[in-house]
Amino acid sequence: MTIKNPGAKMHGLTEAWSYTLATRAEQKLRTRRALMDAALAQLSADRGFGSLSLREVAREAGIAPTSFYRHFSELDELGLALVDEGGVALRQLMRQARKRIARDGSAISTSVDTFMEYLGNNANLFRLMLRERTGVSKPFRTAVKAEIDHFVTELADDLVRFADEQNKSLTEARLVAEAMVTLVFNQGAEALDATPKERDELKLKLKTELRMILVGSQTLARWQQGQE
Amino acid sequence: MTIKNPGAKMHGLTEAWSYTLATRAEQKLRTRRALMDAALAQLSADRGFGSLSLREVAREAGIAPTSFYRHFSELDELGLALVDEGGVALRQLMRQARKRIARDGSAISTSVDTFMEYLGNNANLFRLMLRERTGVSKPFRTAVKAEIDHFVTELADDLVRFADEQNKSLTEARLVAEAMVTLVFNQGAEALDATPKERDELKLKLKTELRMILVGSQTLARWQQGQE
DNA sequence: TGTACATCAGTGAACGCGCGTTCACTGATGTAC
DNA sequence: TGTACATCAGTGAACGCGCGTTCACTGATGTAC
């Protein structure tokens, strides 16, 4: 879809159709984006999605309250669209972390650094995910949990793969992954509103905690093998 | 403070004073309690403290909205009083767990069982703590974090004590305690709205996760000693 | 190409609602003597 | 003991406010031929 001068005209049917779709539909997409950005912009440590009002979001986006309904049937629908974007960010983050680990090694440290970097660059998107994960609305909880679940699954796969490569084994990879993700997300929530210095301390703590879980899982696996 | 028949009269000044304080002040305490219970009763998986209204709480407690101000200057003040009670529950829980561990051993398993039992018996009080820990109001976050911090400190002390008793050592006791509390509280939040069967599974998972952290911490300590 | 018609994103007025908070009050309970 | 006065938890009316949602509309953009 390309943007063209609104005054231009075209002749062929297919092209004309794609053109008109482009301009009118694209303006609509732009307004939709403005609404989502407006909602995101209102989030902070002291304001959750639940405290936003439709009128407020519309006002911030520069449209009449009634126009909101041209894009979403209710405010929660907009919120769920944001959660989807959060899921995309999580998957990007995971790809990025894998790439860096392949290059630099040191899986835990690199992963935590990458996570914190994404957190900083998408603060309010992560804020939404971290809050609504345990929030008050069932659809939100379900949607966020699905994204995190996907994240956990991929992490568990990676853990098994790394263990194989190093000829180590671990027990209950998925459980290990869940515990790690719980710690990462909780410290992430803290890091969001921490000073840079506090954030560095949080990163150090988090890396040590993850290492404990990993080493513990490997030690337990060794004990279990010894018993068999 | 004893409750007496409101019609009764007394003579000595001191006694009369303590008596009058008892009845009038006690009725006030009863209304205050009704307000707090009303607020607690409204909490659920789908309703956080932030969605309550002063009028609603007063209605549920059976008093006029305006009477609310005889007890709290705003709704948040009531909420913070509830967080205080949550802190009391946490300290009771810890004492109870210690007593049982002294009797039955198996610190991790017993602690998790005790925690889950308290969770079931004070569901909405814990709901409040677990939600507001990462909630939208700074005073709430601060108050809940203070209670949890106290909990972490006591747990860290216990960990060191247990390790000494068994002639094992661990690294970074406080960090271990923090990771454990994070996992316990997160699984606790999940357990609140789980079926009994799911709850049992959560308990098992949680015990394994805590064991991994503990074993990991001990293994790391051994490595560190080996290096020195 | 030009023309007649269709689509539809955005609008402003209007609605009823529950909210937090104020105020002056009532009357039972408590105090002083 | 009785009496006159003080305290204060609880009240009902009233307020202004921002909210979500409806409706009939406008006019630019798009389509058909």
Side-chain angles (χ1 to χ4, degrees):
Chain A
M1 241 189 246
T2 55
I3 308 179
K4 304 207 173 179
N5 174 357
K9 293 284 169 65
M10 299 200 65
H11 309 291
L13 183 99
T14 306
E15 282 194 32
W17 188 83
S18 79
Y19 154 74
T20 60
L21 181 73
T23 45
R24 190 136 88 170
E26 229 167 30
Q27 179 50 47
K28 188 172 185 185
L29 276 180
R30 249 178 259 129
T31 304
R32 181 186 156 96
R33 179 99 307 267
L35 284 168
M36 293 172 74
D37 288 342
L40 266 188
Q42 307 276 351
L43 298 180
S44 73
D46 299 324
R47 297 217 52 194
F49 190 83
S51 79
L52 301 184
S53 77
L54 182 153
R55 293 180 97 102
E56 193 181 11
V57 170
R59 207 182 301 130
E60 183 77 9
I63 64 170
T66 46
S67 303
F68 182 92
Y69 295 103
R70 299 286 174 208
H71 303 273
F72 303 99
S73 71
E74 44 168 354
L75 198 51
D76 275 6
E77 196 175 304
L78 183 158
L80 291 171
L82 287 174
V83 171
D84 278 349
E85 298 202 334
V88 171
L90 279 183
R91 289 187 280 279
Q92 275 180 353
L93 152 57
M94 185 124 235
R95 279 197 299 276
Q96 182 73 248
R98 281 201 185 107
K99 214 189 293 177
R100 291 189 189 170
I101 292 170
R103 195 185 60 205
D104 305 338
S106 131
I108 285 179
S109 180
T110 302
S111 295
V112 169
D113 291 345
T114 309
F115 185 86
M116 289 296 179
E117 183 189 307
Y118 264 71
L119 202 72
N121 293 338
N122 307 273
N124 282 351
L125 203 51
F126 275 84
R127 222 186 273 283
L128 182 76
M129 303 285 283
L130 295 169
R131 276 264 170 70
E132 298 308 327
R133 176 179 53 123
T134 57
V136 116
S137 153
K138 176 122 189 185
F140 275 78
R141 285 199 304 271
T142 306
V144 175
K145 287 216 169 113
E147 300 296 348
I148 294 185
D149 207 65
H150 180 255
F151 192 79
V152 167
T153 302
E154 301 226 337
L155 177 55
D157 288 352
D158 283 359
L159 287 172
V160 171
R161 200 173 317 121
F162 287 135
D164 285 351
E165 285 172 9
Q166 303 187 8
N167 286 320
K168 289 178 184 168
S169 64
L170 44 72
T171 37
E172 318 224 41
R174 187 177 176 86
L175 191 141
V176 172
E178 276 182 17
M180 286 180 158
V181 167
T182 298
L183 292 181
V184 169
F185 273 64
N186 270 271
Q187 300 277 32
E190 304 250 316
L192 264 176
D193 301 293
T195 64
K197 196 185 155 204
E198 290 169 336
R199 197 181 281 215
D200 282 346
E201 289 167 12
L202 281 174
K203 279 166 68 172
L204 267 180
K205 277 171 54 174
L206 182 51
K207 289 175 186 178
T208 307
E209 289 173 355
L210 297 183
R211 201 158 282 129
M212 281 181 186
I213 292 178
L214 188 60
V215 168
S217 153
Q218 292 167 342
T219 305
L220 286 179
R222 220 172 296 127
W223 290 355
Q224 284 169 12
Q225 287 166 4
Q227 286 171 357
E228 286 165 357
Chain B
M1 244 189 245
T2 54
I3 308 176
K4 304 209 174 180
N5 175 355
K9 293 283 169 64
M10 299 199 66
H11 310 291
L13 182 101
T14 306
E15 282 192 33
W17 188 83
S18 78
Y19 154 72
T20 59
L21 181 73
T23 45
R24 188 136 90 173
E26 228 168 32
Q27 179 51 45
K28 189 172 184 185
L29 275 180
R30 250 178 259 128
T31 304
R32 181 186 157 96
R33 178 100 307 267
L35 283 168
M36 292 172 74
D37 289 341
L40 266 187
Q42 306 276 351
L43 298 180
S44 72
D46 300 324
R47 297 216 53 193
F49 190 83
S51 80
L52 301 184
S53 76
L54 181 153
R55 292 181 97 101
E56 193 182 11
V57 171
R59 206 182 301 131
E60 183 77 8
I63 64 171
T66 47
S67 302
F68 182 92
Y69 296 103
R70 299 288 176 205
H71 303 274
F72 303 99
S73 71
E74 44 168 355
L75 198 51
D76 276 5
E77 196 176 303
L78 184 157
L80 291 172
L82 287 173
V83 171
D84 278 349
E85 298 203 334
V88 171
L90 278 184
R91 288 189 280 280
Q92 275 180 353
L93 153 57
M94 185 124 236
R95 280 197 299 276
Q96 182 74 247
R98 281 201 187 107
K99 215 189 295 178
R100 291 189 189 169
I101 291 170
R103 196 185 61 205
D104 306 339
S106 137
I108 284 178
S109 180
T110 303
S111 295
V112 169
D113 291 343
T114 309
F115 185 87
M116 289 296 180
E117 183 190 306
Y118 265 70
L119 202 73
N121 293 338
N122 307 274
N124 283 352
L125 202 51
F126 275 84
R127 222 186 274 282
L128 181 77
M129 303 284 283
L130 295 169
R131 277 262 171 70
E132 298 307 327
R133 176 179 53 124
T134 57
V136 116
S137 153
K138 177 125 190 183
F140 275 76
R141 284 198 305 273
T142 306
V144 175
K145 287 218 168 110
E147 300 296 348
I148 294 184
D149 207 65
H150 180 254
F151 192 78
V152 167
T153 302
E154 300 228 338
L155 177 57
D157 288 351
D158 283 359
L159 288 171
V160 170
R161 200 173 317 122
F162 287 135
D164 285 351
E165 285 171 10
Q166 304 187 8
N167 287 319
K168 289 178 183 169
S169 64
L170 44 72
T171 37
E172 318 224 41
R174 185 175 176 88
L175 191 141
V176 172
E178 276 181 17
M180 286 180 158
V181 167
T182 298
L183 291 181
V184 169
F185 274 64
N186 270 271
Q187 300 278 31
E190 303 250 316
L192 264 176
D193 301 294
T195 64
K197 196 186 154 202
E198 288 169 338
R199 197 181 279 215
D200 283 345
E201 287 167 12
L202 282 175
K203 278 165 70 171
L204 267 181
K205 278 171 54 174
L206 182 51
K207 290 175 185 178
T208 306
E209 289 174 354
L210 297 184
R211 200 157 283 130
M212 281 180 185
I213 292 178
L214 187 61
V215 168
S217 152
Q218 292 167 342
T219 304
L220 286 179
R222 221 172 295 130
W223 290 355
Q224 284 170 12
Q225 286 164 4
Q227 286 172 359
E228 286 164 355

